[in-house]
Amino acid sequence: MVGFVQCLAKTTTTKSPWAFLGLILAYILAVYVLFVIFQGVSWWASSRLAGKKVPFKTYLGRFAKSQALWYVLFVFAHALSYIMTLAAVAAQQTKNLGHLPFFTALFVVLLYFSTLSASLIATKKAGATIKKTFLVGIGKIHRVLPSFALVVVLLYVVNFLVRIFSSLLPQSIAGRVLFVSIASIIVLPFFCWIRTFLTRSLNYLFKFK
């Protein structure tokens, strides 16, 4: 996203600031539409595997509405982090980047709530999902974290195994094609399992119908 913004800044230097702002907003909206389509379909399929028979259009509408909050917060935080970093670099104060760990932690928190919200959307409408996300994500965090901790551990294990596998293959075009093919066979079903597991475990823990 940062690279895209820099590219737009160079190509719109002779245009009005409003044109630049319009392009930025159009880009943000386009990314969100693609996010809803691809991630919404993936989460809907996983919810079906978890036994939640929500119609596709209903689920996608709920997903788009519930994820909008987290997406807006992420874009705002990302833009603020970028501006603060750019200001520090422009002032030649690269050591004054203490805000980066804070924003990294903030992105992790937003990812946590976004994933939790997506796991609950099969049983709740968008507004109720956001409310339930805060209630469960904060008030019942001691019951939620074990599931997320398991997912994080397995992600590290899969990443470690994929890296080992990559080091064993020849560094040629054929080797890279083989790596991408086999890694996709391993990683894509694994992410499908993560979505299904979180949907099932959270609905089981809190007895959502």
Side-chain angles (χ1 to χ4, degrees):
M1 182 176 179
V2 173
F4 178 80
V5 172
Q6 292 175 340
C7 181
L8 279 181
K10 292 179 180 179
T11 56
T12 57
T13 51
T14 59
K15 299 180 180 180
S16 68
W18 295 110
F20 175 72
L21 180 61
L23 289 174
I24 292 295
L25 293 176
Y27 171 75
I28 293 174
L29 180 61
V31 170
Y32 185 65
V33 170
L34 292 175
F35 169 79
V36 168
I37 292 174
F38 288 102
Q39 288 298 317
V41 170
S42 299
W43 277 100
W44 173 77
S46 297
S47 72
R48 301 280 291 185
L49 292 175
K52 302 298 178 181
K53 309 300 181 182
V54 182
F56 175 70
K57 290 183 179 180
T58 302
Y59 187 94
L60 201 64
R62 291 180 184 179
F63 185 87
K65 293 176 183 177
S66 64
Q67 291 296 312
L69 172 64
W70 315 117
Y71 183 74
V72 169
L73 291 175
F74 173 81
V75 170
F76 178 77
H78 187 82
L80 185 59
S81 175
Y82 174 69
I83 292 172
M84 293 177 67
T85 302
L86 192 63
V89 173
Q92 295 183 348
Q93 297 178 355
T94 54
K95 293 183 179 180
N96 189 21
L97 297 175
H99 62 280
L100 293 181
F102 167 77
F103 280 102
T104 300
L106 179 59
F107 293 145
V108 171
V109 171
L110 290 177
L111 179 61
Y112 164 72
F113 280 111
S114 175
T115 304
L116 183 59
S117 179
S119 302
L120 302 175
I121 196 65
T123 55
K124 302 286 182 182
K125 293 183 179 180
T129 296
I130 294 175
K131 180 180 179 180
K132 183 62 67 175
T133 298
F134 282 111
L135 292 176
V136 172
I138 298 175
K140 303 292 184 180
I141 191 172
H142 60 286
R143 300 183 64 185
V144 174
L145 280 185
S147 297
F148 278 83
L150 176 61
V151 168
V152 171
V153 170
L154 292 177
L155 280 172
Y156 273 102
V157 171
V158 170
N159 180 65
F160 177 72
L161 294 176
V162 169
R163 286 179 177 273
I164 291 179
F165 178 70
S166 175
S167 64
L168 297 176
L169 292 176
Q171 299 300 314
S172 61
I173 296 179
R176 293 177 181 176
V177 170
L178 180 62
F179 168 73
V180 171
S181 301
I182 297 179
S184 299
I185 294 174
I186 297 173
V187 173
L188 293 180
F190 176 66
F191 276 99
C192 180
W193 175 85
I194 288 177
R195 298 185 186 97
T196 306
F197 167 73
L198 289 176
T199 301
R200 279 184 172 176
S201 62
L202 293 175
N203 282 271
Y204 173 79
L205 284 173
F206 303 104
K207 306 299 180 183
F208 295 138
K209 297 181 180 180

